[in-house]
Amino acid sequence: MAAGKTHKDRKVSPLTESVAVRACLIGLALLFIGAFLVLPLVAVFTEAFAKGVGAYVDAIKDPIALASVKLTFIAAAIAVPLNLVFGVAASWAITKFEFRGKSLLITLIDLPFSVSPVIAGLIYVLLFGAQGLLGPWLHSMDVQIIFAVPGIVLATMFVTFPFVARELIPLMQEQGTEEEEAARSLGADGWQTFRRVTLPNIKWGLLYGVLLCNARAMGEFGAVSVVSGHIRGLTNTMPLHVEILYNEYNFAASFAVASLLASLAVVTLLAKGGLEWRYGHELAGSRG
Amino acid sequence: MSPSTANSTLAGYDDAPPPPRAWGGSWRQPSVLPGFGITMGFTLFYLGLLVLLPLMALIFKAMEFSWEQIWAAATAPRALAAYRLSFGAAFIAAVINLFFGGLVSWVLVRYQFPFKRIVDGLVDLPFALPTAVAGIALATLYAPNGWIGKLLDPIGIKVAYTPLGVVVALVFIGLPFVVRTVQPVLQDLNKDVEEAAASLGASRWQTFRRVIAPSVMPAALTGFALAFARALGEYGSVIFIAGNLPMKSEIAPLLIIIKLEQYDYAGAATIGSTMLIVSFLLLLPINVLQRWSRLRSAEV
């Protein structure tokens, strides 16, 4: 085995580093990952069970906690399918046709990623809030969006807007239009072409996008926090419930609810890793 | 979301045929495939309704106020302190991530070690873990009685409830941006060039500095810029660890929320517009960097 001195292991291979250097770099990288990524994850579960399993179960069975779980699922159940339909439609229009202004359109679709979540919430308050541009009109119609469920759904839709489209556009761009054109020339109609030719080609990429979209939809905090109004049992999603419990120094309960979200994150990462490993070549940019 | 998709969105473009300039006066090329009208119509409708109109509301709302009001709100001492903290902490965190993100990518691409696949997957944790969960976990770890805070407290380093805590949270949030942009470039790096450098007598360090680092630099800077941009707007993971003292550890996004809670819509809309303009301005160098990065990796 090569020793730590440079001239010695240069004889072993000039294309890698000495064992000592390698060990140091790996050690430093693992230390960093451990301190910044693993420890927070471990802390969530440790703190969640700090007062025992009984307290954990109580915190989750609490009616207000359950209401927050329900609201989180409702918001995701509306936002994810809508963004899925949008993602497929946008990718079809963008990748199967050539038109002017295409890169501008892609930039606009990516916009919500470069906007702070707080600003995402703010724009809806300024549009639909009591002092907002449409506030008086909405009030006269007796419709409440801000500090109510519709606002939460809108904010969630905004922050998860690009996920599916972003995954599908590069993938469908790589695949081109030949197969679809062949299907058309063989007499398939548009819908058949999409269902029988395009969809099988993009299904794993689609699932990948939906997975990431859903994780963000259920975990979104900043944007939802601005529009929610924090009414317990009514307009609190799980991340907001975590915040309230934490600010009340009810740490064990806060981490108990947080542990559900952390589990969702772990499941998402596992599923994502599995997709990359198994179907990497069918994902955009040939991941995995 | 992984920045690699941002790359590949644009990268996919390289393979596409160059768009013809004239399609008989039409704004799009004729195609045998159906569904352009309905998909494009829906895309524009949905994009406009959900994203563009609300964003315009922000600008319209800011314009309802006089220039004096806007200027006063944008340059109030508390707002300036918040910008300084947001920009400063985001910049420091991005520098730290440039170094450690580069290191992690290098180790993941070049070396073999146990549980490598798990470590690789873990890098995406900040994308998947809800920011509020990350926030309370980091605050608990770095509090004076927390697992890490306990070690740092005796040597006089206070992280939680100080600007340093903001940096820690932003390092957590930004790491995957650097790793996921640098890693693929490092993977595709041609080993022949390194062999050539070695055969010409370069030491490993010289090879790294003169051959590898310049090829990876555009991607690393892209990752840096993406991490910086994300850190600027970050809210959830920061507010729990920051302490949120006005003028000291209060980030700009939090100040927007405080202004909203005080019904100071001029203040909220102004600070919001300022942040929005800055993040749009950041998109430009990011796009240039990504293009440069692609050219660079195509050359090597």
Side-chain angles (χ1 to χ4, degrees):
Chain A
M1 270 295 168
K5 295 222 174 68
T6 342
H7 66 272
K8 261 193 178 173
D9 42 62
R10 286 277 305 275
K11 279 175 200 153
V12 179
S13 166
L15 287 182
T16 189
E17 291 70 44
S18 68
V19 174
V21 171
R22 257 184 286 173
C24 278
L25 292 179
I26 293 175
L28 196 58
L30 290 183
L31 195 68
F32 182 78
I33 298 269
F36 272 89
L37 301 181
V38 180
L39 268 187
L41 196 57
V42 174
V44 171
F45 289 99
T46 316
E47 295 289 328
F49 288 102
K51 286 193 177 156
V53 178
Y56 180 88
V57 174
D58 285 347
I60 288 172
K61 271 172 55 188
D62 179 70
I64 296 173
L66 289 179
S68 76
V69 174
K70 195 175 149 204
L71 183 56
T72 294
F73 274 87
I74 290 173
I78 299 173
V80 175
L82 280 174
N83 284 335
L84 169 70
V85 172
F86 161 75
V88 173
S91 328
W92 181 267
I94 287 172
T95 60
K96 301 298 175 194
F97 303 92
E98 288 302 327
F99 56 90
R100 288 180 223 278
K102 189 189 270 193
S103 37
L104 176 69
L105 183 60
I106 295 177
T107 309
L108 289 178
I109 289 174
D110 274 347
L111 255 188
F113 276 149
S114 36
V115 171
S116 166
V118 169
I119 293 176
L122 173 71
I123 58 178
Y124 288 111
V125 173
L126 294 181
L127 193 58
F128 298 124
Q131 311 285 319
L133 296 173
L134 300 179
W137 179 70
L138 286 171
H139 187 75
S140 70
M141 307 267 294
D142 211 19
V143 175
Q144 198 177 4
I145 292 181
I146 299 307
F147 306 148
V149 176
I152 291 171
V153 173
L154 275 175
T156 307
M157 281 164 68
F158 182 95
V159 293
T160 56
F161 178 81
F163 277 94
V164 178
R166 246 198 174 189
E167 186 55 36
L168 287 186
I169 291 170
L171 179 65
M172 286 167 69
Q173 194 105 63
E174 272 170 33
Q175 289 170 348
T177 56
E178 280 166 26
E179 289 183 39
E180 282 83 2
E181 280 162 7
R184 284 288 284 168
S185 71
L186 292 172
D189 65 28
W191 177 241
Q192 283 173 325
T193 308
F194 173 76
R195 212 165 46 92
R196 301 270 187 81
V197 177
T198 312
L199 199 57
N201 280 338
I202 62 169
K203 58 177 188 283
W204 299 116
L206 200 63
L207 185 61
Y208 192 91
V210 166
L211 208 63
L212 297 178
C213 184
N214 180 63
R216 179 70 193 267
M218 291 192 164
E220 178 51 27
F221 177 70
V224 169
S225 170
V226 176
V227 297
S228 130
H230 306 275
I231 308 162
R232 273 173 193 244
L234 284 180
T235 63
N236 267 344
T237 60
M238 284 164 82
L240 297 177
H241 190 55
V242 167
E243 180 197 23
I244 289 193
L245 291 172
Y246 187 87
N247 287 341
E248 286 171 346
Y249 302 101
N250 195 348
F251 296 132
S254 168
F255 277 103
V257 179
S259 74
L260 296 180
L261 289 166
S263 309
L264 171 75
V266 172
V267 169
T268 302
L269 284 185
L270 286 175
K272 180 173 168 294
L275 275 181
E276 283 167 5
W277 176 66
R278 181 73 183 76
Y279 302 103
H281 55 286
E282 289 178 49
L283 299 174
S286 302
R287 285 200 199 84
Chain B
M1 248 310 279
S2 79
S4 59
T5 23
N7 286 334
S8 42
T9 304
L10 296 154
Y13 255 58
D14 295 344
D15 314 325
R21 290 291 150 235
W23 300 314
S26 161
W27 66 292
R28 77 170 179 98
Q29 199 178 33
S31 164
V32 295
L33 294 177
F36 180 77
I38 184 165
T39 53
M40 182 54 101
F42 179 68
T43 300
L44 293 178
F45 170 76
Y46 193 73
L47 176 73
L49 207 63
L50 197 64
V51 179
L52 300 183
L53 280 179
L55 277 174
M56 274 188 253
L58 175 65
I59 310 293
F60 274 124
K61 195 72 193 177
M63 279 176 359
E64 275 180 16
F65 306 101
S66 70
W67 275 111
E68 288 75 32
Q69 276 175 306
I70 292 177
W71 183 251
T75 61
R78 192 170 168 187
L80 290 181
Y83 298 142
R84 206 175 305 134
L85 176 66
S86 276
F87 280 92
F91 183 79
I92 296 169
V95 170
I96 295 174
N97 274 327
L98 185 62
F99 175 77
F100 279 103
L103 172 71
V104 169
S105 328
W106 176 263
V107 165
L108 283 175
V109 171
R110 291 299 173 101
Y111 303 148
Q112 292 304 323
F113 54 92
F115 306 114
K116 188 167 136 172
R117 202 164 253 292
I118 296 177
V119 173
D120 194 8
L122 259 177
V123 169
D124 282 329
L125 182 70
F127 285 148
L129 194 68
T131 52
V133 177
I136 60 169
L138 290 171
T140 307
L141 283 176
Y142 286 89
N145 59 354
W147 294 346
I148 299 179
K150 230 187 305 193
L151 304 174
L152 298 175
D153 204 41
I155 49 173
I157 302 177
K158 295 217 184 309
V159 178
Y161 322 123
T162 69
L164 201 54
V166 179
V167 174
V168 166
L170 296 181
V171 169
F172 173 85
I173 282 301
L175 179 73
F177 288 93
V178 177
V179 177
R180 293 301 181 231
T181 34
V182 172
Q183 201 179 14
V185 175
L186 218 45
Q187 207 119 45
D188 293 341
L189 217 59
N190 200 337
K191 277 235 167 185
D192 295 353
V193 198
E194 287 171 52
E195 266 170 44
S199 73
L200 290 172
S203 73
R204 194 59 192 150
W205 174 241
Q206 280 173 323
T207 308
F208 177 79
R209 214 161 43 91
R210 310 287 276 276
V211 176
I212 300 171
S215 330
V216 177
M217 195 45 81
L221 285 178
T222 307
F224 173 87
L226 289 170
F228 178 72
R230 169 69 204 264
L232 267 189
E234 179 55 23
Y235 173 73
S237 60
V238 176
I239 50 158
F240 295 99
I241 198 173
N244 307 327
L245 289 172
M247 309 293 297
K248 269 206 179 118
S249 55
E250 184 178 71
I251 54 166
L254 175 65
L255 191 54
I256 295 177
I257 290 190
I258 290 173
K259 296 276 177 200
L260 266 184
E261 281 170 355
Q262 297 166 341
Y263 303 103
D264 178 3
Y265 287 84
T270 309
I271 299 171
S273 308
T274 312
M275 301 280 297
L276 196 64
I277 290 166
V278 170
S279 32
F280 287 166
L281 291 180
L282 272 171
L283 276 180
L284 190 72
I286 288 175
N287 281 336
V288 171
L289 276 169
Q290 280 180 338
R291 209 162 302 147
W292 182 37
S293 169
R294 271 200 322 282
L295 286 176
R296 243 351 239 265
S297 50
E299 270 170 27
V300 191

